[in-house]
Amino acid sequence: MLKKTLRSSAVLALVAAVAAPAGAASATAPPGAATGTAATGFASSLKGEARLAYEVTTEQVRVTVDAHSVYHQGSIPVRSWGTFRISHVVDGRDYWGDLKVDCLTTGGPTATVTGRLVRTSPGHPWIDTLGLGTRMGVSFLVPEDGPARAGLSGGTAKGKPLLTKCMAPAADMAVTEGGYTLHDRVARQPAG
């Protein structure tokens, strides 16, 4: 029993020692500030606008995105920013929602963007059913050749748990018009 307790304590101490410097650096650094040298960081970006294949052919779904993130180590960015818009045209009326990016993750030809709803078109049902501040996510597949795809999470009803930051469903809708440009973790250049 004593060996098991000592082993557990040692593992916890090791985890705390490894995690503390990374957590402390990001917690104390001002937003946007790099820890370490500028050359150690990586940046990702996703930009573009596209119409997506939607099962109701008389309606249009479009996603416009301008998202950015900075990484130092690991797959979760230390800072993300930008906006994205989800637009759904029904009976000639454009219902749109603007979201402020809180996470952009990238890996090869894929990306996930999440953000909080900050504004909608007048009379949009999201105001009553979801409310401002709800989080939504979009996933993207942006191959070098071949069709791009995107997937939408939708939002959770008022009073229900929010979608988790950095999460979105599979990119299940083909891009039928427009497109996206994805830059996956390009090394940042030193300032100067």
Side-chain angles (χ1 to χ4, degrees):
M1 179 73 171
L2 181 60
K3 280 185 179 180
K4 189 184 248 184
T5 302
L6 290 173
R7 192 177 359 208
S8 295
S9 297
V11 169
L12 289 174
L14 178 62
V15 168
V18 170
S26 63
T28 58
T35 56
T37 65
T40 63
F42 296 90
S44 293
S45 67
L46 175 67
K47 295 181 180 184
E49 186 268 337
R51 180 178 177 180
L52 307 178
Y54 188 64
E55 58 194 33
V56 181
T57 57
T58 59
E59 299 177 8
Q60 290 185 31
V61 173
R62 292 182 174 274
V63 175
T64 305
V65 63
D66 183 2
H68 307 266
S69 61
V70 175
Y71 301 80
H72 293 298
Q73 292 179 350
S75 60
I76 301 299
V78 294
R79 181 173 176 245
S80 296
W81 68 95
T83 59
F84 65 98
R85 174 177 279 197
I86 300 171
S87 169
H88 189 171
V89 177
V90 180
D91 295 328
R93 183 170 179 187
D94 187 4
Y95 294 96
W96 52 262
D98 287 339
L99 296 100
K100 181 179 178 183
V101 170
D102 61 14
C103 185
L104 166 65
T105 60
T106 64
T110 65
T112 299
V113 178
T114 56
R116 300 279 191 125
L117 185 64
V118 294
R119 184 175 60 195
T120 69
S121 56
H124 197 304
W126 283 352
I127 291 298
D128 294 328
T129 59
L130 305 178
L132 294 178
T134 195
R135 182 180 288 121
M136 293 185 201
V138 185
S139 59
F140 297 86
L141 170 63
V142 186
E144 286 188 30
D145 53 4
R149 302 178 72 82
L152 306 174
S153 72
T156 54
K158 285 182 180 177
K160 299 294 182 183
L162 291 176
L163 176 74
T164 301
K165 189 174 172 180
C166 305
M167 301 294 162
D172 61 346
M173 293 186 281
V175 167
T176 60
E177 178 184 303
Y180 301 103
T181 302
L182 173 62
H183 295 285
D184 176 30
R185 299 187 204 181
V186 177
R188 294 170 63 197
Q189 298 301 313

